[in-house]
Amino acid sequence: MMTSASGSRSETRTSVRLLGQVGVLEAGAEIELGAPGPRSLFAVLALRANATVTLDQLVDALWGEAVPKTAEGGVYTYVSALRKALQPDWTRGHPHRLLTSSRAGYSLLLPTESIDVRRFEEAAAEARRRWSVDDFSQALAHCDLALAQWQGPALGGAIGPLVTAERARLEALELDVQEIRCAALIETSSAADAVSALAVLSAANPLRERLSELLMLGLYRTGRQAEALDVYQSIRRRLIDELGIEPGQALRQMQERVLGGAAEAENLSRRPQPPVVGVVPAQLPHEVAHFTGRDGELRRATELCEAATSDALGGFVLILAIDGPAGVGKTALAVQLARQVAGSFPDGQLFLDLRGFDPRAAALTSGDALEHLLRGLGADPELLQQNATAKAGLYRSLLTGRKVLVVLDNAVDVEQVRPLLPGSRGCLAVVTSRNRLAGLVARDGATRVSVEVLAPDASLDLLRQVLGAELVESDVPLARELAAYCGHLPLALRIAAERIAGSDHYSIGDLVNELRVDGDRLDSLSTPDDESSAVRAVFSWSYRALKPADAQAFRLLGLHPAQEVGVPDAAALLAIDEPAARRQLDSLVRWHLLEQVGRDRYRFHDLLRVYAHECAGLDEPGSSAGAAIERLIGWYLAAAVRTREILAPGLGQISSTAAVQAAVRLTYDEAMTWAGGHLTALIDVLRMAAHRGFDQSAADLATALGALCHSTSRWTEWLGAIEIGQAAARRSGDRLSQGRLANDAGLVHHFLGQQEEAVAGHEAAIEILTDLELDPGQVEAGGDQVIASNLAVAYSMMGRHLEVLPLLEDAMLLARQRGNRFVEASVADSLGAVLSSLGRHDEAIERGLRCVALLRAEGYEHMLGHALTQLGESCLRAGRTDDSVRHLGDALRLWRGLGDQWGERRSLAGLAEAGASR
């Protein structure tokens, strides 16, 4: 007989095998589980042992989204078969029943120690703990204990989406244990044994950098230095060929240590998790005021979150899927929950709106979403240029060993979410969506929390909190009628209550009387399964009650393409000054039609934003809306041009801004901050300009954005802006902008390490500018020396060296004549790079020193970072290693001060090369 979950270890006679062919032994005898259906059901219940699994969850786990009509009947049949197999002699008088059922679902009652997966996970956790305190021999022993639980491929003979996901998870964890075991072998003087194991593991996992790193160390420790270096070259070629990326920092450092003979002195294998990133994200929005009516959902979700971080229960809950209709409060519940459990996730909290149901903007792709999350984790910007698969791997690596809470709001479907899920058991993902996301439950083991409209009493409680208990209690039936017209949607209730609370002369009865008269509104509000209609109608109450100026502000703000709106851009959009714009925005905040998220930053709720846009289309004359959009584009263009002039003066005039006054007056530091904070909104406006036919403005804005992207090393975003701008420039016939943007494309590809594409961009720029007969040394027609400098680098890349130096010398002479030190420094930087590539090292270093001196005097720190790095590289090519290290060290400190991780990475690579050459 099998014991219950409460049985002692001495009573355990049962052994459950999941790490191999799924099976169960009773007192050493195999029990026949039968066909794949009952066997798969047993596997699902065993993986969730001692927890109640609902019928819906079992159906999802066994069939996922392809649910047959006979699914529920199939579950009942499998349960019956399992009971007969597991306890054929069970009677109702027996004290312990193994497979129990209740109205809530089914439970498999098993002692934790009877399940090989739990024994494996406990031993693996202990191995990692021992490893973290340098107890290498015990780490090795617990790794062996963990691996001894495996008797074949995990969950053999079982099928279904959940089984597939769990099999992948367990195999990944087993590989982690293998890595720790090999590292422990190396640290316990058994490197030869580690090399044998690592050779097999690396062959099976050829892109796993950690295995190659350990294999290099093991080979080195056994006197096989040349073979260790061959391992590095092999995985480097594979990473470049298959993923388009260079090896990570740890693998490169191992190569440097092996080259330098420094792989003996320290425990280089002791790296159980990635280096700690110097960013602890805290991105959770503020809690919703008057949160009510969700005690049951919040309690259940909190219990699940606690289970996710509980070592005692094995941490089986990794994903919480909150689903429900629009306006029902999914995000509010997720944020309330996240703030409540945030203390269990000390390594940070990430929050991302996936825009799954925004009709005005495309949902975030998984690649874009990963980029946002990686930025939040402080990932190296250069690594963000990889493909989505590589980004997903980097994301999981950064989360390994960390306890991070990830809230993914407004997901459109499972495929959008799946690459964003953490792989580490110390993390928790909370996903909200209007979709049911059955695949997350079935395949990824998520637990669903469905949020419905509020119960009638809970709706009254919300009205009491917003309006005050006295007002609601004065006529409860009328308040109930109002709640019914609101469809018991929290968002609708809040807006309705705010309309009443915002006036001294407007009562619940007045609002209810309006609804009784307006049949169309009554129809929409009384349809509980059409939340968008209900919300739209409730929005209309507040919108139509606004003063004319407020109503126009509401709908015009709906034309803004960015997620947030600031006071200055709102002023431009509304054609008023900034103090008036702030008052207008604050008025909409009081009506709960806008949310203030910073001192001068505001944001619509996503549904309100859609409604405001609709109102603009219905109620705002086309000429007025078009003029507002043109003003907004003009303001952003003028702001970008002015910021460009501060960050990189002398780049040439942008044609359509002649009549536009500069929109910002900033210092250099303020311009850097403004560029970094507004670049996303600028690109949103760029897209809008191109989409609405403002092609010349779009071309000019894309050109202006070059300096802003360059100063912040935002290469991917710059490339996207260039593509939009080039298309707009072609439509408008603006050949100069086409040439400038082609030149910019070459520069971006150069910084991304894509040399063929860089040459192609510069070649296109040469062709266009040559056709225009622009002399880069002439001010007329908009030519400028920076383009000449970039074209010279392009010539050098193409081997046209004889044309390079005269072009640069002419550009340098004109820059000096005009007294533009920024342009002179830019040309000097390019000249140093070209001279260095030609082997004229002394001249290159002289030009580099001149460039650095100019930039230090003028204070252009981002360009100074580039110049110091280039000077360091020139010194390295000249064999002046000490000078190289000094200049690259200065660059590194500067990049770190700017928070520019791309520049930091480049200077570190130079320092590593300099160190290896000593």
Side-chain angles (χ1 to χ4, degrees):
M1 178 196 71
M2 293 189 175
T3 62
S4 72
S6 60
S8 68
R9 288 182 181 269
S10 62
E11 295 173 322
T12 301
R13 304 173 56 203
T14 308
S15 178
V16 174
R17 183 178 60 245
L18 300 177
L19 300 177
Q21 185 76 7
V22 171
V24 58
L25 285 79
E26 176 71 14
E30 184 85 23
I31 295 176
E32 178 56 50
L33 294 178
R39 190 180 299 272
S40 300
L41 179 65
F42 176 82
V44 171
L45 293 172
L47 287 166
R48 301 288 188 263
N50 307 313
T52 298
V53 185
T54 67
L55 177 62
D56 283 347
Q57 288 171 332
L58 288 174
V59 169
D60 286 340
L62 294 172
W63 288 283
E65 297 181 3
V67 181
K69 293 181 180 179
T70 58
E72 291 189 6
V75 172
Y76 299 142
T77 301
Y78 298 161
V79 168
S80 177
L82 276 181
R83 280 184 174 147
K84 292 176 182 178
L86 296 173
Q87 289 177 298
D89 58 347
W90 181 85
T91 65
R92 291 191 178 275
H94 200 284
H96 298 303
R97 187 172 186 179
L98 179 68
L99 181 54
T100 67
S101 60
S102 66
R103 293 180 64 183
Y106 297 91
S107 298
L108 191 60
L109 302 181
L110 289 166
T112 300
E113 65 271 17
S114 71
I115 308 170
D116 59 359
V117 164
R118 296 296 171 243
R119 296 195 299 271
F120 164 69
E121 291 175 329
E122 288 176 3
E126 183 62 16
R128 184 173 289 276
R129 189 186 71 79
R130 296 282 188 165
W131 176 261
S132 68
V133 295
D134 294 347
D135 189 351
F136 302 125
S137 61
Q138 282 299 308
L140 179 60
H142 282 88
C143 284
D144 288 337
L145 180 61
L147 296 172
Q149 307 305 316
W150 286 73
Q151 301 178 49
L155 300 166
I159 56 176
L162 178 62
V163 165
T164 300
E166 279 293 297
R167 183 181 291 126
R169 182 186 68 81
L170 290 167
E171 289 172 352
L173 183 55
E174 189 251 357
L175 185 56
D176 289 342
V177 174
Q178 293 277 18
E179 283 184 351
I180 295 176
R181 179 179 182 274
C182 291
L185 283 170
I186 293 173
E187 298 303 339
T188 54
S189 302
S190 300
D193 293 336
V195 167
S196 299
L198 286 164
V200 175
L201 291 169
S202 296
N205 303 274
L207 296 177
R208 181 110 167 177
E209 294 188 41
R210 175 64 170 151
L211 291 173
S212 294
E213 180 190 345
L214 288 172
L215 180 55
M216 290 178 67
L217 181 59
L219 288 167
Y220 181 86
R221 294 264 177 101
T222 54
R224 300 155 69 179
Q225 183 179 14
E227 292 177 65
L229 295 174
D230 285 343
V231 169
Y232 177 82
Q233 294 301 329
S234 177
I235 189 172
R236 181 176 182 270
R237 284 193 298 271
R238 191 175 293 112
L239 288 169
I240 292 172
D241 292 344
E242 297 187 27
L243 299 180
I245 62 173
E246 288 283 348
Q249 181 180 7
L251 196 55
R252 294 198 309 273
Q253 287 178 342
M254 182 60 71
Q255 183 212 27
E256 293 163 9
R257 288 184 170 104
V258 171
L259 281 170
E264 296 282 5
E266 50 185 315
N267 294 333
L268 296 179
S269 67
R270 189 186 178 281
R271 204 169 49 80
Q273 55 191 17
V276 176
V277 179
V279 173
V280 178
Q283 299 180 349
L284 296 179
H286 62 77
E287 297 179 24
V288 176
H290 310 306
F291 183 82
T292 190
R294 302 300 185 195
D295 292 344
E297 293 94 334
L298 189 60
R299 181 171 56 253
R300 181 180 176 223
T302 303
E303 291 171 353
L304 294 170
C305 291
E306 290 173 351
T309 56
S310 169
D311 293 334
L313 294 178
F316 59 82
V317 178
L318 296 175
I319 309 158
L320 185 65
I322 301 176
D323 66 70
V328 81
K330 301 180 295 295
T331 301
L333 176 61
V335 171
Q336 188 81 7
L337 166 69
R339 288 199 165 274
Q340 193 160 305
V341 303
S344 297
F345 302 92
D347 296 317
Q349 305 89 41
L350 295 166
F351 183 92
L352 181 61
D353 183 356
L354 297 175
R355 301 196 314 215
F357 298 91
D358 188 340
R360 295 184 52 222
L364 289 181
T365 65
S366 296
D368 289 341
L370 283 166
E371 186 164 332
H372 283 286
L373 294 170
L374 287 168
R375 285 188 186 280
L377 290 169
D380 188 331
E382 184 172 339
L383 299 179
L384 304 186
Q385 322 308 327
Q386 307 174 61
N387 60 34
T389 301
K391 287 179 187 175
L394 174 62
Y395 174 65
R396 290 191 295 270
S397 296
L398 289 179
L399 290 179
T400 299
R402 303 175 74 190
K403 292 187 176 182
V404 176
L405 172 61
V406 183
V407 180
L408 304 170
D409 194 31
N410 289 324
V412 64
D413 56 29
V414 172
E415 297 308 316
Q416 183 192 29
V417 170
R418 190 163 280 135
L420 315 180
L421 299 175
S424 172
R425 279 184 169 254
C427 298
L428 176 71
V430 179
V431 185
T432 77
S433 178
R434 297 183 199 177
N435 281 340
R436 199 162 172 262
L437 301 181
L440 281 188
V441 177
R443 179 173 157 187
D444 301 283
T447 297
R448 177 183 293 117
V449 174
S450 294
V451 186
E452 306 295 341
V453 296
L454 291 174
D457 287 344
S459 295
L460 284 183
D461 286 342
L462 180 54
L463 291 174
R464 288 187 186 99
Q465 291 191 37
V466 179
L467 295 174
E470 183 178 352
L471 182 59
V472 173
E473 294 301 327
S474 66
D475 197 335
V476 172
L478 201 60
R480 287 190 182 276
E481 190 176 358
L482 174 61
Y485 286 143
C486 291
H488 300 290
L489 285 169
L491 185 58
L493 287 162
R494 291 175 187 278
I495 295 173
E498 182 60 27
R499 182 176 179 191
I500 297 165
S503 173
D504 295 332
H505 308 291
Y506 199 75
S507 67
I508 296 176
D510 293 330
L511 182 52
V512 171
N513 285 333
E514 284 187 17
L515 295 174
R516 287 172 178 162
V517 172
D518 193 331
D520 290 340
R521 291 185 187 171
L522 286 173
D523 290 342
S524 61
L525 288 174
S526 64
T527 304
D529 59 349
D530 187 3
E531 295 79 10
S532 61
S533 294
V535 170
R536 183 177 290 107
V538 173
F539 287 165
S540 73
W541 307 340
S542 292
Y543 170 59
R544 296 186 184 184
L546 293 173
K547 296 176 182 178
D550 287 344
Q552 184 181 43
F554 174 74
R555 57 182 180 261
L556 289 181
L557 288 169
L559 297 171
H560 201 300
Q563 292 294 313
E564 293 184 1
V565 58
V567 171
D569 39 317
L573 189 62
L574 303 178
I576 55 180
D577 60 26
E578 290 189 19
R582 182 176 282 105
R583 290 193 296 271
Q584 202 82 79
L585 293 166
D586 289 341
S587 178
L588 294 175
V589 169
R590 286 194 296 273
W591 280 98
H592 284 200
L593 293 174
L594 205 61
E595 177 186 6
Q596 186 169 8
V597 294
R599 183 180 178 276
D600 289 326
R601 306 299 300 168
Y602 298 80
R603 180 172 57 207
F604 279 121
H605 180 280
D606 55 354
L607 295 175
L608 272 166
R609 185 166 168 255
V610 171
Y611 181 71
H613 187 75
E614 289 180 357
C615 290
L618 293 171
D619 300 337
E620 192 69 20
S623 58
S624 174
I629 290 170
E630 189 170 11
R631 288 193 301 271
L632 183 69
I633 295 170
W635 183 86
Y636 270 104
L637 175 57
V641 168
R642 177 58 181 153
T643 306
R644 170 183 185 254
E645 291 172 354
I646 296 168
L647 295 177
L651 297 186
Q653 183 178 340
I654 292 179
S655 60
S656 69
T657 59
V660 180
Q661 296 299 315
V664 286
R665 300 288 179 184
L666 306 172
T667 66
Y668 176 85
D669 289 341
E670 289 170 341
M672 286 287 289
T673 302
W674 193 90
H678 286 77
L679 192 56
T680 300
L682 282 159
I683 294 175
D684 286 337
V685 171
L686 170 63
R687 290 193 183 96
M688 180 177 70
H691 176 70
R692 290 184 174 268
F694 294 94
D695 288 331
Q696 186 61 60
S697 293
D700 290 339
L701 182 55
T703 303
L705 289 179
L708 280 66
C709 293
H710 181 272
S711 67
T712 53
S713 300
R714 303 274 282 271
W715 312 126
T716 303
E717 289 156 293
W718 190 3
L719 199 56
I722 289 169
E723 291 171 356
I724 297 170
Q726 285 177 320
R730 285 192 294 270
R731 290 193 297 268
S732 66
D734 183 352
R735 295 286 287 167
L736 178 58
S737 290
Q738 291 178 51
R740 283 173 162 173
L741 291 168
N743 172 74
D744 285 356
L747 191 60
V748 175
H749 285 300
H750 172 72
F751 282 121
L752 291 175
Q754 300 163 352
Q755 296 308 320
E756 291 184 9
E757 292 87 346
V759 170
H762 289 307
E763 283 180 327
I766 293 170
E767 181 179 351
I768 294 170
L769 296 174
T770 301
D771 287 345
L772 290 176
E773 298 182 351
L774 290 177
D775 179 357
Q778 299 298 316
V779 178
E780 294 82 15
D784 61 71
Q785 299 79 53
V786 173
I787 288 182
S789 176
N790 292 333
L791 294 182
V793 174
Y795 285 144
S796 178
M797 293 165 64
M798 291 182 284
R800 295 164 59 177
H801 299 302
L802 294 179
E803 301 171 64
V804 169
L805 295 180
L807 189 63
L808 287 173
E809 294 292 357
D810 288 346
M812 178 75 75
L813 178 61
L814 183 58
R816 286 176 176 168
Q817 289 174 351
R818 292 179 55 81
N820 192 318
R821 297 197 165 204
F822 177 85
V823 173
E824 182 183 350
S826 298
V827 177
D829 186 51
S830 297
L831 190 53
V834 171
L835 289 168
S836 180
S837 68
L838 293 174
R840 295 164 62 173
H841 300 305
D842 290 343
E843 295 173 81
I845 293 170
E846 179 185 352
R847 295 293 188 179
L849 289 169
R850 169 64 178 165
C851 176
V852 167
L854 283 171
L855 291 169
R856 278 187 169 140
E858 298 299 319
Y860 298 108
E861 291 187 332
H862 69 282
M863 272 301 298
L864 179 57
H866 287 283
L868 284 167
T869 305
Q870 176 58 52
L871 177 57
E873 291 169 352
S874 296
C875 289
L876 185 59
R877 291 193 187 99
R880 293 164 58 171
T881 307
D882 289 343
D883 289 339
S884 173
V885 170
R886 177 165 52 84
H887 295 310
L888 288 169
D890 288 345
L892 177 60
R893 286 184 288 275
L894 182 57
W895 288 125
R896 284 176 172 168
L898 292 171
D900 192 319
Q901 293 184 347
W902 178 87
E904 181 180 343
R905 181 179 177 85
R906 183 182 169 192
S907 56
L908 281 171
L911 285 169
E913 186 178 352
S917 68
R918 280 180 163 173

